[in-house]
Amino acid sequence: MPTSYRPELLTVAVAVVAVGVATACYFYVAKKSKPKGCLDPDNFKEFKLVKRTQLSHNVAKFRFSLPTPTSILGLPIGQHMSCRGKDSQSEDAVKPYTPTTLDIDVGYFELVIKMYPQGRMSHHFREMREGDYLAVKGPKGRFKYEPNEVEAFGMLAGGTGITPMFQVARAILENEVDRTNVHLIYANVTYEDILLKEELDSLATTFPTRFSIYYVLNQPPEEWDGGVGFVTEEMIRLHCPAPSPNVRILRCGPPPMNKAMAAYLNSIGYTSQMQFQF
């Protein structure tokens, strides 16, 4: 016996097909909206140095080109990558670095590198010239971030430990839908040691209600209105958000600083869930 014609079933079928097509189109567009990153977590890939800018006697900014002008590095916020080069004995050296650029910076990525006299990768960067290549593998790291997952970040950085902090802060502040506040304490030995100062000050000027920075110097110049000596528990209490489930404190610096900061944070009352060390 022939099946009777039922218009309501046809309507449902058409609706299901329409939803399926719309969903497929959405995921296709979403996938196409962000190109695939250039990094490989298992294999080193080489990128060409196209510009080297000397920032001080031992600090330089290195810009590396990506395969196309629209390529992205594909490094998640707050994560790092392994860089491989040759030390002074021509032996392989590998060290993790965090770019100061984000995936909105298409076609290139930048590293701000402080070159230490005895550093193995420091030697490689010191010898690099425009046109040379750097081997990179990644992404690597445990840090994961979603916009608005906390109300505020406190950041404790020392020396070159500023690079992941700068990357996270910039990603938060330049995201129009992210309302997270950022409070940074940045410690160095001398004024000349402060990395990315112009960029950090620019963030503070552009986002005065959402980003604050407190510089601490062990050997400050004569006219200095920032902190003096080492970062103390009192400085953290004054310049970082108080312990709360909606607060997270990040730290990155030399091992002695990280150890001291962990003790201060525990004393103030930040739980382990509120803390993260890069």
Side-chain angles (χ1 to χ4, degrees), residues 134-235:
L134 178 70
V136 173
K137 180 171 68 173
K140 298 178 179 294
R142 300 174 292 111
F143 185 80
K144 298 185 187 305
Y145 178 69
E146 293 293 335
N148 300 304
E149 69 176 36
V150 294
E151 291 180 358
F153 274 111
M155 296 181 173
L156 308 174
T160 56
I162 191 62
T163 52
M165 305 297 192
F166 175 74
Q167 189 199 64
V168 172
R170 188 184 158 204
I172 289 171
L173 297 170
E174 295 183 5
N175 184 344
E176 293 182 354
V177 302
D178 199 334
R179 306 313 304 163
T180 308
N181 294 322
V182 180
H183 307 266
L184 169 64
I185 298 177
Y186 182 25
N188 283 282
V189 178
T190 69
Y191 185 88
E192 290 71 25
D193 292 325
I194 301 175
L195 301 180
L196 300 168
K197 189 175 188 304
E198 183 177 343
E199 291 85 349
L200 291 167
D201 290 345
S202 177
L203 289 179
T205 300
T206 306
F207 306 97
T209 62
R210 298 184 53 217
F211 179 73
S212 64
I213 181 165
Y214 184 68
Y215 295 104
V216 180
L217 295 180
N218 193 268
Q219 300 172 17
E222 287 188 10
E223 295 185 6
W224 175 250
D225 59 0
V228 177
F230 298 106
V231 176
T232 65
E233 182 175 324
E234 183 63 20
M235 290 178 187

Side-chain angles (χ1 to χ4, degrees), residues 16-152:
V16 170
V17 171
V19 170
V21 171
T23 303
C25 288
Y26 169 80
F27 282 111
Y28 175 77
V29 171
K31 186 176 181 180
K32 293 289 287 183
S33 64
K34 185 174 182 180
K36 182 181 179 182
C38 296
L39 290 174
D40 186 326
D42 302 312
N43 301 291
F44 281 98
K45 299 176 68 174
E46 294 197 333
F47 299 94
K48 184 178 180 179
L49 176 64
V50 293
K51 186 177 182 180
R52 172 178 173 149
T53 305
Q54 202 69 27
L55 303 180
S56 71
H57 72 285
N58 64 349
V59 177
K61 180 166 63 176
F62 298 80
R63 175 175 288 199
F64 297 89
S65 63
L66 297 176
T68 73
T70 58
S71 296
I72 64 169
L73 185 61
L75 187 73
I77 297 169
Q79 295 197 13
H80 60 271
M81 55 196 191
S82 296
C83 297
R84 184 180 67 191
K86 296 291 185 181
D87 64 12
S88 59
Q89 304 301 315
S90 297
E91 297 182 352
D92 281 348
V94 179
K95 187 176 179 179
Y97 290 97
T98 302
T100 55
T101 43
L102 303 171
D103 280 347
I104 60 173
D105 305 306
V106 298
Y108 69 94
F109 70 91
E110 290 182 342
L111 297 172
V112 173
I113 304 294
K114 185 170 185 177
M115 291 158 281
Y116 299 93
Q118 305 303 320
R120 298 181 66 203
M121 273 303 295
S122 290
H123 172 81
H124 182 84
F125 281 109
R126 194 160 40 242
E127 297 298 314
M128 284 197 81
R129 299 296 180 265
E130 293 176 3
D132 292 344
Y133 286 81
L134 178 70
V136 173
K137 180 171 68 173
K140 298 178 179 294
R142 300 174 292 111
F143 185 80
K144 298 185 187 305
Y145 178 69
E146 293 293 335
N148 300 304
E149 69 176 36
V150 294
E151 291 180 358

